Amino acid sequence: MSEQGFSPPTSEWYHPSEEVVKNANVPDYEAVYNEAVSDPEIFWAKRAETLDWYQKWDKVLDDSNKPFYKWFTGGKTNIVLNALDRHIKTWRKNKIAFIWEGENGDKVSMSYWRLWQEVNKFSNVLRSMGVKKGDRVTIYMGRVPEIVIAMLACAKIGAPHSVVYGGFSEQALADRIEDAQSRVLITCDGAWLRGKIVKLKDTVDEAVHRSPVVDTVIVVKRTGHEINMEQGRDYWYHDLMSLPIASVRSETEVMDAEDPLFILYTSGTTGKPKGVLHTHGGYQVYTSTTLSWAFDIKDDDRWWCAADPGWITGHSYIVYAPLILGATSIIYEGAPTYPYPDRWWRIVENYGVTILYTAPTAIRGLMRFGDAWPNRHDLSSLRLLGSVGEPINPEAWRWYHKVIGNEECPIIDTWWQTETGGFMITPLPSVGLKPGSATRPFPGIEVDIVDEKGDPVAAGEDGDLVIKGPWPSMIRTVYGDDERFLRQYWEKYKDKGYYLAGDTARRDEDGYLWVIGRNDDVLKVSGYRLGTAEVESGLVSHGTIAESAVIGIPDDLKGNVIYAYCIPVAGVEGSDALVDELKDHIRHEVGPIAVPAKIEFVDKLPKTRSGKIMRRVLKAQAMGQPLGDLSTLED
Ligand code: PRX
């Protein structure tokens, strides 16, 4: 897992069976890939034609103002037209859209018809609250059916949603509300996690206190514990849904293909989170194509993307793409190990899950409990497995393949980002696999690995992973900050017009791609993306710390853990008690995932003469490795 001395098993092959290849939605990757590169616009137009549009596009790709690319311009659509409206006119209205299981055993199974009605009702509620096309709505909920309804209801009326992951805390939520300027916030009283209540509404109260732009809070009752409801601001979801205004009839707003669908905040190199903006038209085409081809979705599948709807994986592959394809999904609320480490395997068995998509950190976490837990269950319904979020270490890959997949399920290791909207590098089921490699780019996507000048590096050498041309679900901008969009993704290889992913990667002799990890100040902790700056400013906000530097140290379970080096303000002494206080502060301000594994007090931090913290020096030191080139070190 460590990027140090990374030597991937480039000659370890796993080939799909003839059966898998023959039945795949795309049996011949090479042919489709070549077709797509030969004329990407025709290729994407054909994909767009599989969906419904109120009005067809005039132009597939408008590249007149690079890198502000536009897709399907002149086209009129709404992602809800494809995710719901079109299905209820067919037999699919009776199909199960999703089966939801609460951590406490509660169950909901919802047909397309019923989901369509609930979304219609809630869209009318939102309208009655004054939410209009273009207004941003913040969603801060647990993994409950209503989060799917809320997202779709926003999309339906053309109000971009900004979902904030329920694991974030006060300040992180307040910052995101502030940046999006949302008047309306949808939340839950609480969420169940590991048998305990996560008090979401308490966090909301504090965040709204800090970002008073919110004037209306809609609360879904999940845990039923006592909460504060502020008169004139807070309303129960179930009360609103039983009002006459919540009619089951609702017009879907006709949107331009390029109208915003959502903002999703993600970590970057500065403290302020970036609002990644996605739009209705291109996103629906790209996410549905990638899901259909990489995970080979068929009508009788039971698809389980075990991510949280609050991350891009959940947006694209729990909510939008599966619904567009008319698939049946499983959604599970809680922890994989609650009450026992076989909870997931029980779910696979009970619901006959055919495709499971999760993250390496979860696989490693479950692998730790041994083979007996999965072996106790009938997992024979599974036919494909997936991985996302960070490089999967070959050991976890082999375990997943053997113990969970019975050596019969190809592992679809998908490399992508919040910014890309959908899978960029991924095998299709018909492609030969090597454990730890996301294999080849998706049809229509051209990637390269380049040196500092933007020239391709030789096979086996590390370089910057870049994407060479536009794709339909690409980030349109950083919400409210075009400048940052340009600087972050396009400046480095401006002459070539490449998109900079921020990852280091390598290509092997067979042309297979190996993503090694981030090369900027972004950390991956348990697959979650965090900026060093977010944790650092969280530490400084405690008041006892003058300056801090945060690094990621490789960890067998979490991928990385956080080490923080802190300079106390004058008059404050570092102590164990202060370490505990700081950890608690981070848990509250940023969220549990951002809590450092280790906090060390120091007098000085290694800096360049221009004042930039040299995190790699700290990292090398922490790992007992050579410090490397210190010529730019100030002191
Ligand atoms: O470093 C790469 C890593 O996750 C980053 C994107 O994080 P985020 O925007 O949170 O999206 C995660 C879910 C799509 C990438 O820059 N990453 C994601 N998938 C993989 C990966 N690294 C290696 N292999 C993957 N399959």
Side-chain angles (χ1 to χ4, degrees):
M1 231 174 313
S2 139
E3 52 258 56
Q4 264 77 22
F6 176 74
S7 58
T10 53
S11 53
E12 184 178 338
W13 282 99
Y14 291 77
H15 291 286
S17 68
E18 265 175 44
E19 190 73 5
V20 166
V21 177
K22 190 176 78 199
N23 294 325
N25 287 350
V26 176
D28 187 350
Y29 163 80
E30 222 71 53
V32 177
Y33 190 85
N34 292 335
E35 181 204 327
V37 277
S38 73
D39 196 331
E41 289 188 40
I42 292 187
F43 174 78
W44 289 118
K46 271 209 242 165
R47 297 310 307 158
E49 277 159 13
T50 65
L51 300 181
D52 283 4
W53 300 75
Y54 296 114
Q55 183 184 304
K56 199 176 163 173
W57 56 91
D58 309 317
K59 215 168 164 17
V60 177
L61 173 64
D62 174 355
D63 59 1
S64 57
N65 183 23
K66 293 174 189 171
F68 295 94
Y69 294 94
K70 291 184 177 150
W71 286 85
F72 307 109
T73 48
K76 302 270 185 209
T77 189
N78 185 312
I79 201 163
V80 172
L81 168 69
N82 285 296
L84 295 175
D85 299 351
R86 65 171 179 163
H87 298 316
I88 55 104
K89 295 183 195 138
T90 72
W91 65 271
R92 274 211 181 80
K93 67 173 182 243
N94 298 321
K95 192 174 168 179
I96 296 175
F98 62 79
I99 300 167
W100 174 85
E101 186 171 295
E103 197 189 69
N104 62 352
D106 289 352
K107 290 186 181 66
V108 170
S109 119
M110 203 173 281
S111 66
Y112 273 87
W113 174 258
R114 170 84 193 290
L115 179 59
W116 175 76
Q117 285 194 328
E118 296 295 311
V119 168
N120 286 353
K121 284 168 65 108
F122 194 53
S123 69
N124 285 324
V125 167
L126 290 174
R127 282 190 178 113
S128 77
M129 297 280 189
V131 180
K132 296 183 309 296
K133 182 170 173 173
D135 293 349
R136 282 83 49 211
V137 174
T138 296
I139 298 177
Y140 178 73
M141 301 170 77
R143 222 176 289 166
V144 287
E146 290 83 355
I147 189 171
V148 179
I149 295 167
M151 288 166 72
L152 291 163
C154 289
K156 182 169 182 110
I157 64 172
H161 52 70
S162 159
V163 181
V164 179
Y165 170 58
F168 277 122
S169 304
E170 274 104 83
Q171 195 55 44
L173 175 58
D175 288 344
R176 286 156 177 77
I177 292 172
E178 192 70 30
D179 192 82
Q181 290 288 302
S182 311
R183 248 193 58 233
V184 174
L185 191 152
I186 308 164
T187 190
C188 300
D189 52 352
W192 286 113
L193 190 65
R194 284 180 213 97
K196 298 206 184 80
I197 292 175
V198 182
K199 295 183 174 166
L200 295 175
K201 180 61 168 52
D202 289 4
T203 304
V204 163
D205 288 343
E206 180 54 35
V208 172
H209 177 69
R210 296 183 194 186
S211 279
V213 16
V214 171
D215 62 30
T216 301
V217 179
I218 301 175
V219 189
V220 171
K221 187 175 259 183
R222 169 64 187 129
T223 45
H225 68 290
E226 195 69 38
I227 57 163
N228 162 52
M229 290 292 279
E230 199 166 302
Q231 182 112 49
R233 185 195 72 182
D234 300 351
Y235 302 87
W236 285 108
Y237 176 90
H238 58 261
D239 286 343
L240 298 171
M241 289 289 270
S242 59
L243 296 174
I245 182 76
S247 141
V248 294
R249 289 281 155 187
S250 168
E251 286 296 318
T252 302
E253 194 75 36
V254 176
M255 307 296 282
D256 286 335
E258 281 293 322
D259 277 336
L261 169 62
F262 64 81
I263 302 166
L264 185 55
Y265 287 89
T266 189
S267 301
T269 43
T270 68
K272 197 169 168 262
K274 288 183 291 202
V276 172
L277 185 80
H278 285 289
T279 58
H280 278 258
Y283 179 83
Q284 63 180 358
V285 174
Y286 194 81
T287 54
S288 59
T289 301
T290 46
L291 183 63
S292 165
W293 290 4
F295 282 101
D296 203 43
I297 303 288
K298 307 275 202 293
D299 253 323
D300 57 358
D301 272 315
R302 290 204 156 178
W303 161 250
W304 183 15
C305 169
D308 192 279
W311 300 103
I312 190 68
T313 311
H315 279 53
S316 299
Y317 300 111
I318 294 176
V319 181
Y320 291 111
L323 294 173
I324 294 171
L325 298 178
T328 296
S329 291
I330 310 299
I331 304 175
Y332 166 60
E333 176 183 40
T337 51
Y338 188 85
Y340 300 109
D342 65 342
R343 182 63 182 265
W344 272 21
W345 316 128
R346 197 176 285 280
I347 291 175
V348 169
E349 175 176 298
N350 283 351
Y351 300 112
V353 172
T354 56
I355 312 171
L356 170 64
Y357 182 40
T358 184
T361 187
I363 299 164
R364 290 192 297 263
L366 290 164
M367 184 169 106
R368 197 164 53 124
F369 293 101
D371 301 358
W373 292 101
N375 285 347
R376 205 166 285 162
H377 295 277
D378 177 9
L379 306 182
S380 63
S381 56
L382 289 169
R383 67 180 188 93
L384 288 172
L385 298 171
S387 176
V388 61
E390 57 178 324
I392 179 164
N393 46 312
E395 204 186 323
W397 194 102
R398 290 184 203 110
W399 183 81
Y400 196 30
H401 187 255
K402 179 160 183 270
V403 179
I404 307 307
N406 194 29
E407 298 183 333
E408 283 164 359
C409 307
I411 292 181
I412 311 298
D413 178 359
T414 60
W415 176 89
W416 58 298
Q417 310 177 298
T418 307
E419 292 87 343
T420 69
F423 314 146
M424 301 298 281
I425 304 175
T426 178
L428 309 185
S430 54
V431 167
L433 305 172
K434 301 185 187 192
S437 167
T439 76
R440 316 277 295 273
F442 193 79
I445 302 300
E446 278 190 272
V447 306
D448 213 341
I449 298 165
V450 300
D451 62 19
E452 293 297 302
K453 290 198 299 266
D455 296 324
V457 298
E461 277 177 30
D462 293 357
D464 271 339
L465 177 61
V466 294
I467 300 162
K468 290 167 80 174
W471 65 101
S473 66
M474 64 197 300
I475 173 176
R476 294 307 195 264
T477 189
V478 171
Y479 182 69
D481 199 346
D482 289 348
E483 198 41 52
R484 193 169 176 196
F485 169 71
L486 295 171
R487 200 169 58 237
Q488 180 92 38
Y489 305 105
W490 304 97
E491 197 169 273
K492 187 160 180 192
Y493 298 113
K494 198 168 167 210
D495 297 343
K496 309 244 178 196
Y498 294 167
Y499 166 91
L500 176 73
D503 281 6
T504 296
R506 193 182 294 175
R507 187 182 258 136
D508 70 18
E509 303 293 337
D510 298 308
Y512 273 47
L513 297 157
W514 300 79
V515 175
I516 297 164
R518 298 290 308 187
N519 54 23
D520 52 11
D521 296 331
V522 171
L523 303 175
K524 278 278 172 162
V525 179
S526 300
Y528 297 118
R529 180 164 158 182
L530 279 172
T532 51
E534 283 170 276
V535 187
E536 288 160 2
S537 38
L539 288 163
V540 170
S541 75
H542 185 249
T544 56
I545 301 302
E547 193 177 9
S548 87
V550 156
I551 55 170
I553 296 291
D555 177 82
D556 281 347
L557 195 62
K558 296 182 169 177
N560 290 285
V561 291
I562 297 172
Y563 278 23
Y565 297 87
C566 298
I567 307 179
V569 294
V572 170
E573 281 288 308
S575 65
D576 289 350
L578 183 55
V579 166
D580 292 343
E581 232 182 84
L582 287 168
K583 286 187 177 177
D584 214 43
H585 179 70
I586 292 290
R587 189 173 295 116
H588 251 266
E589 292 293 305
V590 192
I593 49 176
V595 175
K598 183 171 152 186
I599 296 179
E600 200 176 308
F601 299 103
V602 293
D603 306 330
K604 257 192 216 164
L605 292 167
K607 285 188 184 168
T608 61
R609 271 171 234 129
S610 59
K612 208 171 179 293
I613 297 173
M614 294 177 80
R615 293 192 182 76
R616 74 168 172 82
V617 172
L618 289 170
K619 185 164 176 176
Q621 198 170 30
M623 294 176 69
Q625 285 166 346
L627 300 184
D629 178 11
L630 295 180
S631 58
T632 57
L633 190 66
E634 165 201 49
D635 187 355

